Amino acid sequence: MTKTTKSTPAVNTEGRVLSEDEIRAMGEKDYMNAAQLAFFKARLQQLEKDLLKNAGETTEHLRETVLVPDPADRATIEEEHALELRTRDRERKLLKKVQQSIASIDAGEYGWCEETGEPIGIPRLIARPTATLSLEAQQRRELKQKLYGD
């Protein structure tokens, strides 16, 4: 299979984005058609919106200053803040990947392995919409990292 763009509609006749089951039911010849791209773009945009909302809530939460006289309680609050910041840092990295995936949809490169040019596959993209490597290429990369380090 090679990269091609098809002119199939991005939405069904009722004007809605297709469901996950409808996307899974499509054949191999429909890979990365307009309907599938619209599905993944909508999913990625929702994820981006959720990540930005979480970041805003964290900022507001950390601005709240609570004066606690007990050192143990203060330590607990500081540890919770540190955990929240680590979580947001991971989300910040994910947000970057989400934005790159949306850009690759717009460029017509989404769904294709960066290493081999082969299809990544619908099930893998549903599980991890920011995937840039096919399962086999990802396994090879992880094996190299395990054997030789980063």
Side-chain angles (χ1 to χ4, degrees):
M1 184 180 297
T2 59
K3 293 183 190 180
T4 58
T5 54
K6 299 185 189 265
S7 59
T8 53
V11 291
N12 67 4
T13 55
E14 293 95 39
R16 66 174 178 82
V17 174
L18 297 177
S19 72
E20 191 174 304
D21 290 334
E22 291 169 318
I23 296 296
R24 286 180 190 269
M26 290 183 171
E28 224 177 90
K29 64 179 176 54
D30 294 322
Y31 187 73
M32 286 302 116
N33 63 19
Q36 291 177 350
L37 290 172
F39 169 82
F40 286 112
K41 188 167 187 174
R43 180 169 276 195
L44 287 162
Q45 287 172 332
Q46 182 61 46
L47 183 57
E48 178 183 38
K49 181 180 163 188
D50 293 344
L51 290 170
L52 291 171
K53 180 179 167 238
N54 287 347
E57 289 174 359
T58 297
T59 303
E60 289 302 315
H61 182 251
L62 293 176
R63 283 188 182 154
E64 298 170 2
T65 54
V66 180
L67 298 174
V68 182
D70 183 37
D73 289 341
R74 191 170 38 242
T76 300
I77 290 170
E78 288 175 8
E79 184 61 31
E80 288 172 356
H81 285 180
L83 178 62
E84 192 168 351
L85 287 171
R86 282 193 304 270
T87 302
R88 294 305 161 249
D89 187 50
R90 291 180 71 200
E91 287 182 353
R92 179 186 55 81
K93 292 174 185 172
L94 177 58
L95 179 61
K96 184 177 177 184
K97 289 181 180 180
V98 167
Q99 291 168 337
Q100 288 171 341
S101 294
I102 291 171
S104 72
I105 287 174
D106 294 338
E109 299 170 355
Y110 184 78
W112 303 94
C113 179
E114 288 180 346
E115 226 173 73
T116 64
E118 296 174 358
I120 292 173
I122 296 298
R124 177 160 166 75
L125 289 170
I126 287 173
R128 187 175 186 88
T130 58
T132 58
L133 298 172
S134 66
L135 186 58
E136 295 79 16
Q138 182 67 35
Q139 288 172 336
R140 282 192 304 272
R141 179 174 284 182
E142 289 173 2
L143 182 60
K144 282 182 188 175
Q145 287 175 344
K146 184 178 177 183
L147 293 174
Y148 305 112
D150 277 335

